[in-house]
Amino acid sequence: MVLESLKPELTLTEFVEDLPIAVGTLRAWRRQYMSAQDPKAVNETAPRKSYRQLEQGLDKVKKELERSQPEVDILKKTREYFSEAK
């Protein structure tokens, strides 16, 4: 079960949804397992975030970029105006 929880498809919370254990219990088991293993190998197989979380973060960044792009354009035009005035 611990090895399956290290796969990148699901977060810990998503993984224990259908199991009769708490997230904290699985987290403790994983910590024990990882302390007995090579930390480098475990870090390569256990990403911090699921693919879905990364996609959501990317969507958030894209929306923020769209929102701030007009401000950037205004600042560029202002810089051009003042550099031509010299």
PDB file of all heavy atoms in Angstrom, residues 64-78:
ATOM      1  N   GLU A  64      -3.618  34.818 -14.313  1.00  0.00           N
ATOM      2  CA  GLU A  64      -2.918  35.971 -13.738  1.00  0.00           C
ATOM      3  C   GLU A  64      -2.131  36.707 -14.828  1.00  0.00           C
ATOM      4  O   GLU A  64      -2.110  37.932 -14.857  1.00  0.00           O
ATOM      5  CB  GLU A  64      -1.982  35.509 -12.625  1.00  0.00           C
ATOM      6  CG  GLU A  64      -1.204  36.615 -11.970  1.00  0.00           C
ATOM      7  CD  GLU A  64      -2.062  37.598 -11.202  1.00  0.00           C
ATOM      8  OE1 GLU A  64      -3.163  37.223 -10.767  1.00  0.00           O
ATOM      9  OE2 GLU A  64      -1.627  38.760 -11.029  1.00  0.00           O
ATOM     10  N   LEU A  65      -1.533  35.958 -15.735  1.00  0.00           N
ATOM     11  CA  LEU A  65      -0.797  36.581 -16.841  1.00  0.00           C
ATOM     12  C   LEU A  65      -1.737  37.382 -17.730  1.00  0.00           C
ATOM     13  O   LEU A  65      -1.426  38.516 -18.113  1.00  0.00           O
ATOM     14  CB  LEU A  65      -0.073  35.510 -17.654  1.00  0.00           C
ATOM     15  CG  LEU A  65       0.703  35.995 -18.871  1.00  0.00           C
ATOM     16  CD1 LEU A  65       1.810  36.960 -18.457  1.00  0.00           C
ATOM     17  CD2 LEU A  65       1.268  34.813 -19.635  1.00  0.00           C
ATOM     18  N   GLU A  66      -2.885  36.813 -18.060  1.00  0.00           N
ATOM     19  CA  GLU A  66      -3.871  37.527 -18.878  1.00  0.00           C
ATOM     20  C   GLU A  66      -4.331  38.807 -18.191  1.00  0.00           C
ATOM     21  O   GLU A  66      -4.520  39.837 -18.832  1.00  0.00           O
ATOM     22  CB  GLU A  66      -5.080  36.631 -19.149  1.00  0.00           C
ATOM     23  CG  GLU A  66      -4.827  35.538 -20.146  1.00  0.00           C
ATOM     24  CD  GLU A  66      -6.040  34.630 -20.331  1.00  0.00           C
ATOM     25  OE1 GLU A  66      -7.169  35.043 -19.961  1.00  0.00           O
ATOM     26  OE2 GLU A  66      -5.871  33.514 -20.838  1.00  0.00           O
ATOM     27  N   ARG A  67      -4.509  38.736 -16.880  1.00  0.00           N
ATOM     28  CA  ARG A  67      -4.977  39.895 -16.130  1.00  0.00           C
ATOM     29  C   ARG A  67      -3.909  40.997 -16.085  1.00  0.00           C
ATOM     30  O   ARG A  67      -4.206  42.178 -16.148  1.00  0.00           O
ATOM     31  CB  ARG A  67      -5.353  39.483 -14.699  1.00  0.00           C
ATOM     32  CG  ARG A  67      -6.013  40.595 -13.899  1.00  0.00           C
ATOM     33  CD  ARG A  67      -6.172  40.233 -12.446  1.00  0.00           C
ATOM     34  NE  ARG A  67      -4.916  40.112 -11.728  1.00  0.00           N
ATOM     35  CZ  ARG A  67      -4.135  41.112 -11.365  1.00  0.00           C
ATOM     36  NH1 ARG A  67      -4.447  42.345 -11.692  1.00  0.00           N
ATOM     37  NH2 ARG A  67      -3.026  40.900 -10.692  1.00  0.00           N
ATOM     38  N   SER A  68      -2.644  40.610 -15.989  1.00  0.00           N
ATOM     39  CA  SER A  68      -1.583  41.603 -15.840  1.00  0.00           C
ATOM     40  C   SER A  68      -1.002  42.080 -17.166  1.00  0.00           C
ATOM     41  O   SER A  68      -0.270  43.079 -17.190  1.00  0.00           O
ATOM     42  CB  SER A  68      -0.466  41.036 -14.963  1.00  0.00           C
ATOM     43  OG  SER A  68       0.127  39.930 -15.591  1.00  0.00           O
ATOM     44  N   GLN A  69      -1.320  41.426 -18.267  1.00  0.00           N
ATOM     45  CA  GLN A  69      -0.743  41.812 -19.559  1.00  0.00           C
ATOM     46  C   GLN A  69      -1.068  43.255 -19.958  1.00  0.00           C
ATOM     47  O   GLN A  69      -0.166  43.970 -20.417  1.00  0.00           O
ATOM     48  CB  GLN A  69      -1.179  40.835 -20.656  1.00  0.00           C
ATOM     49  CG  GLN A  69      -0.409  40.991 -21.936  1.00  0.00           C
ATOM     50  CD  GLN A  69       1.081  40.748 -21.755  1.00  0.00           C
ATOM     51  OE1 GLN A  69       1.469  39.778 -21.123  1.00  0.00           O
ATOM     52  NE2 GLN A  69       1.890  41.632 -22.294  1.00  0.00           N
ATOM     53  N   PRO A  70      -2.300  43.740 -19.792  1.00  0.00           N
ATOM     54  CA  PRO A  70      -2.553  45.155 -20.135  1.00  0.00           C
ATOM     55  C   PRO A  70      -1.688  46.124 -19.321  1.00  0.00           C
ATOM     56  O   PRO A  70      -1.218  47.136 -19.848  1.00  0.00           O
ATOM     57  CB  PRO A  70      -4.035  45.340 -19.799  1.00  0.00           C
ATOM     58  CG  PRO A  70      -4.619  43.975 -19.893  1.00  0.00           C
ATOM     59  CD  PRO A  70      -3.535  43.040 -19.452  1.00  0.00           C
ATOM     60  N   GLU A  71      -1.463  45.806 -18.084  1.00  0.00           N
ATOM     61  CA  GLU A  71      -0.614  46.658 -17.241  1.00  0.00           C
ATOM     62  C   GLU A  71       0.814  46.684 -17.791  1.00  0.00           C
ATOM     63  O   GLU A  71       1.450  47.747 -17.845  1.00  0.00           O
ATOM     64  CB  GLU A  71      -0.621  46.113 -15.809  1.00  0.00           C
ATOM     65  CG  GLU A  71       0.172  46.932 -14.827  1.00  0.00           C
ATOM     66  CD  GLU A  71       0.088  46.355 -13.425  1.00  0.00           C
ATOM     67  OE1 GLU A  71      -0.986  45.856 -13.043  1.00  0.00           O
ATOM     68  OE2 GLU A  71       1.103  46.407 -12.730  1.00  0.00           O
ATOM     69  N   VAL A  72       1.323  45.555 -18.206  1.00  0.00           N
ATOM     70  CA  VAL A  72       2.671  45.468 -18.775  1.00  0.00           C
ATOM     71  C   VAL A  72       2.740  46.290 -20.058  1.00  0.00           C
ATOM     72  O   VAL A  72       3.713  47.020 -20.294  1.00  0.00           O
ATOM     73  CB  VAL A  72       3.059  43.993 -19.036  1.00  0.00           C
ATOM     74  CG1 VAL A  72       4.354  43.888 -19.832  1.00  0.00           C
ATOM     75  CG2 VAL A  72       3.174  43.221 -17.733  1.00  0.00           C
ATOM     76  N   ASP A  73       1.712  46.194 -20.880  1.00  0.00           N
ATOM     77  CA  ASP A  73       1.689  46.956 -22.131  1.00  0.00           C
ATOM     78  C   ASP A  73       1.715  48.460 -21.858  1.00  0.00           C
ATOM     79  O   ASP A  73       2.425  49.211 -22.536  1.00  0.00           O
ATOM     80  CB  ASP A  73       0.453  46.590 -22.959  1.00  0.00           C
ATOM     81  CG  ASP A  73       0.500  45.157 -23.471  1.00  0.00           C
ATOM     82  OD1 ASP A  73       1.606  44.568 -23.529  1.00  0.00           O
ATOM     83  OD2 ASP A  73      -0.576  44.624 -23.806  1.00  0.00           O
ATOM     84  N   ILE A  74       0.965  48.896 -20.888  1.00  0.00           N
ATOM     85  CA  ILE A  74       0.947  50.321 -20.523  1.00  0.00           C
ATOM     86  C   ILE A  74       2.323  50.770 -20.051  1.00  0.00           C
ATOM     87  O   ILE A  74       2.820  51.841 -20.428  1.00  0.00           O
ATOM     88  CB  ILE A  74      -0.123  50.599 -19.449  1.00  0.00           C
ATOM     89  CG1 ILE A  74      -1.512  50.454 -20.063  1.00  0.00           C
ATOM     90  CG2 ILE A  74       0.065  51.975 -18.822  1.00  0.00           C
ATOM     91  CD1 ILE A  74      -2.636  50.488 -19.044  1.00  0.00           C
ATOM     92  N   LEU A  75       2.964  49.948 -19.233  1.00  0.00           N
ATOM     93  CA  LEU A  75       4.303  50.305 -18.738  1.00  0.00           C
ATOM     94  C   LEU A  75       5.317  50.368 -19.885  1.00  0.00           C
ATOM     95  O   LEU A  75       6.185  51.245 -19.895  1.00  0.00           O
ATOM     96  CB  LEU A  75       4.755  49.306 -17.677  1.00  0.00           C
ATOM     97  CG  LEU A  75       3.989  49.370 -16.350  1.00  0.00           C
ATOM     98  CD1 LEU A  75       4.371  48.206 -15.460  1.00  0.00           C
ATOM     99  CD2 LEU A  75       4.238  50.698 -15.659  1.00  0.00           C
ATOM    100  N   LYS A  76       5.216  49.469 -20.840  1.00  0.00           N
ATOM    101  CA  LYS A  76       6.116  49.507 -21.991  1.00  0.00           C
ATOM    102  C   LYS A  76       5.917  50.783 -22.802  1.00  0.00           C
ATOM    103  O   LYS A  76       6.881  51.435 -23.212  1.00  0.00           O
ATOM    104  CB  LYS A  76       5.881  48.292 -22.894  1.00  0.00           C
ATOM    105  CG  LYS A  76       6.448  47.007 -22.354  1.00  0.00           C
ATOM    106  CD  LYS A  76       6.167  45.862 -23.314  1.00  0.00           C
ATOM    107  CE  LYS A  76       6.694  44.542 -22.814  1.00  0.00           C
ATOM    108  NZ  LYS A  76       6.381  43.436 -23.745  1.00  0.00           N
ATOM    109  N   LYS A  77       4.665  51.162 -23.043  1.00  0.00           N
ATOM    110  CA  LYS A  77       4.376  52.386 -23.795  1.00  0.00           C
ATOM    111  C   LYS A  77       4.876  53.619 -23.042  1.00  0.00           C
ATOM    112  O   LYS A  77       5.404  54.558 -23.643  1.00  0.00           O
ATOM    113  CB  LYS A  77       2.884  52.497 -24.067  1.00  0.00           C
ATOM    114  CG  LYS A  77       2.403  51.495 -25.089  1.00  0.00           C
ATOM    115  CD  LYS A  77       0.906  51.575 -25.299  1.00  0.00           C
ATOM    116  CE  LYS A  77       0.436  50.509 -26.275  1.00  0.00           C
ATOM    117  NZ  LYS A  77      -1.009  50.517 -26.472  1.00  0.00           N
ATOM    118  N   THR A  78       4.725  53.603 -21.730  1.00  0.00           N
ATOM    119  CA  THR A  78       5.204  54.728 -20.912  1.00  0.00           C
ATOM    120  C   THR A  78       6.721  54.830 -21.007  1.00  0.00           C
ATOM    121  O   THR A  78       7.269  55.932 -21.153  1.00  0.00           O
ATOM    122  CB  THR A  78       4.773  54.538 -19.446  1.00  0.00           C
ATOM    123  OG1 THR A  78       3.360  54.403 -19.395  1.00  0.00           O
ATOM    124  CG2 THR A  78       5.206  55.703 -18.590  1.00  0.00           C
TER     125      THR A  78
END
